[in-house]
Amino acid sequence: MQPKSTRKPPEPSDDHAPIAAWIKSTMPDLQPILAHLDGQIRKALPEASYALKWKKAYYGLPDKGWVIELVAYDVSVNVVFFAGAKFDPPPPLGEGSRYVKVRSLEEAKATTVASWIGQAGEHPGWK
């Protein structure tokens, strides 16, 4: 039996400025990808709250909890959907929380990514 995680969810905020600053601090090649994904998320989830914790951006909804996490690595961005296993179709990687690795702006603009972002607002996430 695995021990229960002691990680606590971040505190939600209406202030997007920390995420905008984080995007500007990431690898230059990833900034357009992150900016596009951030814009898509904010458009699809206009009532979203934001947080930056553990060098990751979080997007949440008042009644659903945190639904999307963006993680910037050296050559890709992981877009984590906390309820992704319930999506149709689910993102390709992970188990309960599912994710996709995005390596280019073209991949970020894929219709499947937009669909998953929209579906994220329909399911409970991490509370």
Side-chain angles (χ1 to χ4, degrees):
M1 188 163 123
Q2 290 185 334
K4 189 170 184 167
S5 174
T6 57
R7 285 182 18 149
K8 293 187 178 169
E11 288 297 317
S13 171
D14 292 334
D15 187 3
H16 182 262
I19 290 180
W22 170 75
I23 290 171
K24 290 180 181 176
S25 75
T26 61
M27 299 285 285
D29 289 348
L30 297 181
Q31 291 176 17
I33 298 167
L34 286 164
H36 178 79
L37 291 167
D38 176 69
Q40 273 192 306
I41 294 166
R42 292 173 70 197
K43 184 178 179 182
L45 308 173
E47 67 279 7
S49 297
Y50 311 102
L52 191 64
K53 189 170 182 177
W54 305 299
K55 297 183 181 180
K56 301 173 183 179
Y58 291 87
Y59 301 82
L61 297 170
D63 58 335
K64 306 277 186 197
W66 298 108
V67 295
I68 297 175
E69 172 188 82
L70 293 182
V71 187
Y73 293 105
D74 289 343
V75 296
S76 67
V77 175
N78 282 7
V79 186
V80 180
F81 302 96
F82 290 108
K86 298 176 182 173
F87 293 5
D88 183 24
L93 303 168
E95 292 181 17
S97 290
R98 308 278 302 192
Y99 68 98
V100 62
K101 286 185 179 290
V102 178
R103 294 180 179 90
S104 69
L105 189 54
E106 292 74 27
E107 289 179 9
K109 292 179 178 179
T111 57
T112 51
V113 173
S115 171
W116 292 327
I117 289 171
Q119 289 182 65
E122 300 169 8
H123 300 279
W126 178 34
K127 293 183 179 182

